[in-house]
Amino acid sequence: MSETRTPVRSTERGAARQTVTISFAGFNRAWAAWIGDRLERQGVRVSYVRWDSPAEETLVDLLRGLALAEGRILILVSERYFQLGPRTFEEWNAALREVVGPDPSKFAAVSVTNTQVPAAIAVLGPVDLTNMGADEAERRLLDRLDLPTDGRPVLDGSRGPRFPAALPEVWGGVPRRNTRFTGREPVLNDAYHLLQGSDSGAGVLTLHGMPGVGKTQLAAEYVYRFGSEYDVVWWVNSESRVTYRRVLAELSARLGLSTGDEYGERLRAVRDSLRRGNPYSRWLLILDGADEPEQIWDLVPTGPGHVIITSRNPEWNEHNSKLLEVNVYDRDESVAFIRRRAPRLTEPEADQLAEALEDLPLLLDQTAGWLNDSDLSVEDYIALLEDGVDPDVVKVSADFPLAFQTAWAILLNKLRETVPESVDLLRLCTFFAPGFIPVRMLREMSTDDLPEQLTRLFDDPLLWNKAINQLRQYSVVRLESHEVGSEEIPSPGESVYLHRMVHQIVGKDMPEENRREFIEVVRRALAEADPGRPTDTRNWEAYAELVPHLKYADVLNSTDRKVQNLVLNCLRYMWWAGEYTSGWKLGRRTVNAWRELLGESDPRVWEATHHYANLLRSAGRFEDTEALDREAMEHLRRGGERSLEYLRAANGLGADLRELARYEEALELDDWLYPAYRELLGEQDSRTLNALNNKGYTLRLMGRYEEAMQTDRQTLETRRLVLTGRHLMTLFSEVSYAIDLRLLGRYAEAESIHQRNVREYLNVGGLGSPDALRAQLNLALCQLRGGDRAGAGLLLTQVLEGYERKLGENHLRTLSAAVSHSCFNREHGDIDLARETSESILARYEELLAEGHPFTVGARANQALVLRNVGEREAAHVLIEQALADMTEAVGENHPYTLGCAINASALRNLIGETESAAELSRITVARATEVLGRTHPLTLSARIAHAADLRGLRSRQQAEKVEQEALSDLETTLGRQHVHTISARARNRPYWDFEPQAS
């Protein structure tokens, strides 16, 4: 920050205008930026000089060089300004008197610290800017520089930096500032310019480097130096996807976004808000500890703000991130840091220590901290490093650099000698995930049957605090609050932060006896922290905190039933919260581990298998889920095909088959499951009714709409009897029944039911749930059939946005809404938008579903209509012919999906001049539709109108007239003379068919 900026326009002061050079320590960059902005707005020309104090130059020479700067010199007085070097107060006093004393008018100062500074600073006449608001601080600043305090500022319409004492509008999770932060000026400046120079949507920077080099501390310092330029600063622990989603989702409330309780919905709302820059465009996210890009790269926000990632992994450059490597300290930085951390050491001693510890910041911090309190000389310490330590006293893993191994051995011995309980606590922490460790779980657990030394540690608050403070004093742990938005000083009883490198070295070199003992303690602590009821969104924060620790406590190898219940509850939570990928991976590990631990026949293995299958299915891994469910059925058949466990597995298989579009197999299973449940549990049990509901859904997917309607009506009537009309499952069945009516062409009846149903959803729980959105989507489709295009278009947009927030862009329900929205835009909206979204929908289906799935084929059929509308007739014809062939293969020639494709294919044949084949195809389609759906079904009527058009193309006018008049008569009888379809047919607008996926 050594640049000169000129105000946008001059003021009326003329000769009174002046130039000011601001001299500041890098640590106080935010103050320098704010002061410079205030002065520029008064018409002052400002230049910035970051103060440095290299040891090879005297203070007198440095100050004389500063005095040569243009205009008046304004020094920002802070403890950091005088610590650079470092120089003694005596040196500063002498230099200030020699250089400033003869010409005090050249210099001025403002103070931004309350700590002790050299006495001779009085010659600068500093004014205090601390402990006051921005207006008073600005008044004092201007007064000190003899500038009018009542003049009108020069404004250029831009927003300047925030007053440094005021936090951004939204601030959360940021670690407290490290007052011992040293050096790194080039890296900080590079980071700033890389982010500021990036285009909107591309402001992502990864600070990468080996463990222990201070990436997190560097990111935190960036926040404090440049945070005044942002309105939102949000720190996210990103070591696991579960934690990342939870913490980023918590930003929704701070941004004032209106969302539901589910993390997925809140997370999508946050990402959308940041992308749009509304309500804040100046935002900064720090994703700390993101060492596995594949875990979270797809969730990194884009938009006008900036993202800083700290990671050991340079592969972030493959995910649209700039890279900035963080290395060990330069030697002068090491020396300066050591002398600040251990003031008793001389500069040569600090240099010796830095060389011995290879300039690794984490190791310098830990070693210098306890060495300052020790009588041990640097020479003796280095001798210990060179000689090593007794391996029987403490072992350190060879996986770490030699200096780190030996230094840690010495430090652990020091801890054991002073507060041995601190070593026990440290070792317990290694059975939690690195990073923020909820040590309160240890304090809150029952101490029955615990080892004696741990009982004493947990029960004695003084001993507990002493152990934590000892670890903190030597920088082994950091005491931080990980609760976002918390401004309170964290309690030692809540959580500590343990660096991954420390976590690894302590964990690897623990005596086996301690390992067996301590891991059981942590498992118990996690199990006792299980809130139960993972379906309750109020418990999701607790589960999100628990999940990352399961791996490190090796809970899958525990035989404790409470620990096993914790695992099952976490799997259930991950399904409900939408953590499908992380969830199925945990489910797979659980099933494999428990099979070996408990045996194939243990019920818990199959309970875990059930949850694993649900997570796999929700993640779109349908083939894998089918194999899993078949395996479960094969095993559970030994207990009888009428056991609830077997029926549950069979029910899961039915869901797999439906998703795989193997509808005949699914129906065969449904026809067996419903009577089996009814025989076992009775007609009115919820599981029996669920089986009947599934059968109705399968029939609808098969195009057997009349049977689906009868089945869904039976489910609806029983649920109304058993559950009452406003129960959510009753409302769900009501929507299913109304969908069947619409698909049968009974539009008015369907719309009437949907209107009442949507009102009931609003009364029961609002319109934001996936099932309520399903009701609204189908109401919109009824409105469209009835001619209310404006109402339908608005509702389709709202439903799509709701699904995207709730379930994400790639969920099958979201895609179902996107299909209908795209079709609407094709005919009544923006054709370019329709084409763009149609292509996107097709790409997502191709990624999610197997080749040849009817949903993918139907999306291609819709895309053909888009191509037709933009004049690409040949491409449209090729695409619809392929869709017709593929749909025939997927669901058969008589399925409504295939008949719809045929209607569109005949239209495109006619359009490109293949009139005879068009007429033949429409004739066959009329015959098949009449047989399958009936003479007056809307799809059959469309085929008849289309056939009449094809006959006219063959100049068979008499036959065409007959077919057309008969179809028009049936349309008037079925839908009415003024129905939009009747009017369109009378105007000889050729009908087309929109593919509509039934996703639920």
Side-chain angles (χ1 to χ4, degrees), residues 457-626:
L457 175 63
F458 295 170
D459 285 345
D460 186 343
L462 294 177
L463 183 58
W464 174 270
N465 289 340
K466 185 178 180 181
I468 285 188
N469 287 331
Q470 187 72 21
L471 295 173
R472 181 187 178 196
Q473 180 182 349
Y474 294 156
S475 299
V476 178
V477 301
R478 197 171 76 231
L479 198 58
E480 295 284 1
S481 173
H482 69 287
E483 298 301 326
V484 294
S486 173
E487 305 302 334
E488 298 180 4
I489 296 175
S491 161
E494 287 296 315
S495 65
V496 297
Y497 185 90
L498 184 64
H499 192 282
R500 179 180 294 274
M501 197 170 183
V502 178
H503 185 280
Q504 287 178 336
I505 199 166
V506 175
K508 284 188 175 183
D509 300 294
M510 191 182 309
E512 189 58 36
E513 181 182 351
N514 282 150
R515 183 181 303 279
R516 289 194 303 269
E517 199 170 53
F518 289 174
I519 197 171
E520 286 300 330
V521 171
V522 174
R523 288 171 177 172
R524 278 182 52 190
L526 294 173
E528 290 185 25
D530 181 358
R533 297 189 64 193
T535 57
D536 189 338
T537 58
R538 292 170 297 183
N539 292 331
W540 285 6
E541 185 172 346
Y543 280 112
E545 185 179 32
L546 285 165
V547 166
H549 305 298
L550 302 182
K551 170 185 173 182
Y552 293 89
D554 195 22
V555 295
L556 301 184
N557 285 312
S558 173
T559 57
D560 188 321
R561 300 283 285 190
K562 291 181 180 178
V563 176
Q564 292 170 356
N565 280 338
L566 167 66
V567 175
L568 294 172
N569 281 340
C570 285
L571 288 171
R572 293 175 65 204
Y573 150 73
M574 295 174 88
W575 185 75
W576 281 100
E579 294 286 354
Y580 303 136
T581 301
S582 300
W584 73 252
K585 289 179 179 178
L586 174 61
R588 181 177 61 188
R589 293 196 303 271
T590 302
V591 170
N592 291 339
W594 284 4
R595 279 177 173 169
E596 185 174 341
L597 182 70
L598 305 175
E600 288 274 351
S601 60
D602 192 286
R604 301 226 151 192
V605 171
W606 301 104
E607 175 78 9
T609 301
H610 169 69
H611 298 309
Y612 173 31
N614 282 343
L615 286 155
L616 266 180
R617 189 181 303 112
S618 296
R621 304 282 295 267
F622 304 127
E623 293 89 350
D624 294 338
T625 313
E626 181 196 359

